[in-house]
Amino acid sequence: MTCRPSKWSSVFGTVLTLSVVIWRSDVMVLTPWLAPIIWNGTYNINILNELFHLRRVRIGLTVFVIRKYKIFIKTLLQTAERFFMAGHKVHYYVFTDDVKAIPNITLKEGRHLVILNISGYRRWQDITMRRMQLIRDYISQKLIDEVDYLVCLDADLKFRDDVGVEILSDVFGVIHPGFFSKSRDSFTNERRNYSAGYIPKDEGDFYYTGCFFGGTVEEVYKLTDFCHNAMMEDKAKNIEALWHDESYLNKYFLYHKPTKLLSPEYAWNDYYGSPVVVKRKRLVHVPKDYKKVRD
Ligand code: UDP
């Protein structure tokens, strides 16, 4: 008898060969609440692409470039055209205080650029935190009818490798590259118990970066609404959580667990070198001179 590789006849007509077991034994791939942690080698992108194509999924990407941060937008969009959600319908939503400064990027078929004029805030802390309110409000005004999933990114990032539908889930967060191998007591959560961002020392599952989160539009609405309200609660007390929107995001994820986590491959910073477990650096921070860009 001939020994053949096992075959899986899918509901959508394609026959896929399951010749390899998809797993990683060197990293954590499942949370205690059974949410997958996405590392290179833990999924089959062909199967996922077929599933998401069948659903004709529409993906939105939000990014804010206020004041000096406009210098980052060209690289982010150009690299996204190469690596982000290749073959899927994408809407980029760029929020800016200067529409004319946004470069004209050639987009592939099925991809659109929407530029939204907003007035910036004076303090950089307010610019970063108020993104939650602006995303929330724009979801209810427009995005709820335009896209199925929303991916929210910082501006000072660039794609260096594929980021596709493997990231999509009801609500997802990215493990901060500085903390993926660290214990809970080193997490830089807000520790003042009178802040709405407070997380006790003995709580917290992972430390999530504020530079990348997302989910379905409905779930991102809930997340941004929570973070904005927490920020306003603190503002009324004249305080601000330690790491601004990132602290409120970590608070949200503590009590509303993400349904998928992305490994630090998805928010890498070359400052952390090249640990052997990080096989692909998909989205990386562009180094910035803090004094110059936040001036
Ligand atoms: N941002 C902006 N203009 C500013 C400050 C911040 O557009 O003057 C936006 C931009 O999208 C940026 C994000 O807010 O990436 C978060 O700020 P930053 O990158 O400085 O935060 P970090 O991750 O370095 O703490």
Side-chain angles (χ1 to χ4, degrees):
M1 199 177 85
T2 337
C3 209
R4 289 162 167 270
S6 63
K7 294 224 168 146
W8 179 56
S9 192
S10 72
V11 284
F12 35 88
T14 313
V15 178
L16 298 157
T17 303
L18 294 180
S19 51
V20 284
V21 175
I22 298 171
W23 201 249
R24 288 273 299 261
S25 56
D26 55 341
V27 285
M28 190 176 176
V29 294
L30 202 61
T31 67
W33 60 93
L34 302 181
I37 307 177
I38 309 302
W39 291 89
N40 186 51
T42 57
Y43 60 91
N44 181 320
I45 194 63
N46 299 325
I47 298 176
L48 292 171
N49 271 333
E50 291 221 39
L51 289 169
F52 281 91
H53 275 307
L54 271 185
R55 290 169 55 193
R56 296 178 202 284
V57 76
R58 301 162 302 170
I59 303 136
L61 184 158
T62 63
V63 60
F64 287 71
V65 282
I66 313 294
R67 292 159 61 148
K68 305 240 169 102
Y69 280 65
K70 286 178 279 275
I71 56 167
F72 298 111
I73 193 66
K74 191 172 181 187
T75 303
L76 178 68
L77 292 176
Q78 279 179 337
T79 58
E81 273 303 278
R82 186 154 171 224
F83 294 116
F84 180 69
M85 300 289 167
H88 292 275
K89 293 193 192 78
V90 171
H91 275 75
Y92 298 107
Y93 299 101
V94 178
F95 294 76
T96 184
D97 55 350
D98 185 2
V99 171
K100 286 198 268 350
I102 305 303
N104 208 1
I105 305 282
T106 312
L107 301 175
K108 295 200 186 100
E109 205 192 320
R111 302 169 78 98
H112 307 275
L113 174 62
V114 181
I115 304 171
L116 298 141
N117 194 207
I118 55 163
S119 52
Y121 286 86
R122 200 176 51 80
R123 297 169 64 241
W124 66 263
Q125 295 93 332
D126 287 320
I127 296 175
T128 166
M129 285 194 294
R130 290 286 180 160
R131 292 180 295 168
M132 294 293 186
Q133 178 186 21
L134 290 158
I135 294 169
R136 179 197 69 183
D137 293 349
Y138 197 54
I139 288 174
S140 56
Q141 283 165 26
K142 196 109 176 106
L143 297 182
I144 192 80
D145 299 320
E146 264 181 21
V147 292
D148 305 302
Y149 289 93
L150 207 53
V151 172
C152 306
L153 292 184
D154 270 10
D156 55 329
L157 295 167
K158 67 176 175 192
F159 291 87
R160 211 185 258 171
D161 205 336
D162 296 333
V163 174
V165 293
E166 77 279 3
I167 70 168
L168 300 178
S169 188
D170 284 358
V171 59
F172 62 84
V174 185
I175 302 172
H176 192 294
F179 296 93
F180 74 100
S181 55
K182 300 266 168 64
S183 62
R184 172 189 276 164
D185 54 5
S186 69
F187 295 173
T188 53
N189 285 318
E190 172 57 59
R191 302 297 186 198
R192 291 170 297 174
N193 62 7
Y194 49 90
S195 165
Y198 171 60
I199 296 182
K201 271 256 176 211
D202 58 349
E203 288 187 50
D205 310 295
F206 296 90
Y207 188 77
Y208 303 95
T209 175
C211 77
F212 184 178
F213 60 86
T216 61
V217 270
E218 294 85 359
E219 287 298 326
V220 177
Y221 182 92
K222 290 184 209 161
L223 180 159
T224 49
D225 186 50
F226 173 95
C227 292
H228 177 62
N229 291 339
M231 191 266 285
M232 292 306 280
E233 214 180 289
D234 277 359
K235 195 176 168 61
K237 293 183 200 150
N238 215 13
I239 56 169
E240 232 162 47
L242 180 63
W243 288 106
H244 314 102
D245 39 304
E246 184 169 275
S247 298
Y248 302 117
L249 180 72
N250 272 277
K251 178 68 177 270
Y252 184 77
F253 281 154
L254 176 59
Y255 300 118
H256 309 81
K257 307 279 192 219
T259 52
K260 193 177 266 187
L261 277 72
L262 309 183
S263 69
E265 291 173 18
Y266 292 87
W268 194 249
N269 191 324
D270 288 331
Y271 168 82
Y272 298 113
S274 297
V276 64
V277 293
V278 178
K279 311 281 181 211
R280 292 167 80 174
K281 297 167 185 169
R282 297 163 186 273
L283 188 59
V284 294
H285 285 265
V286 176
K288 64 179 184 265
D289 181 336
Y290 281 88
K291 270 203 183 130
K292 268 194 192 150
V293 292
R294 285 177 175 173
D295 182 18

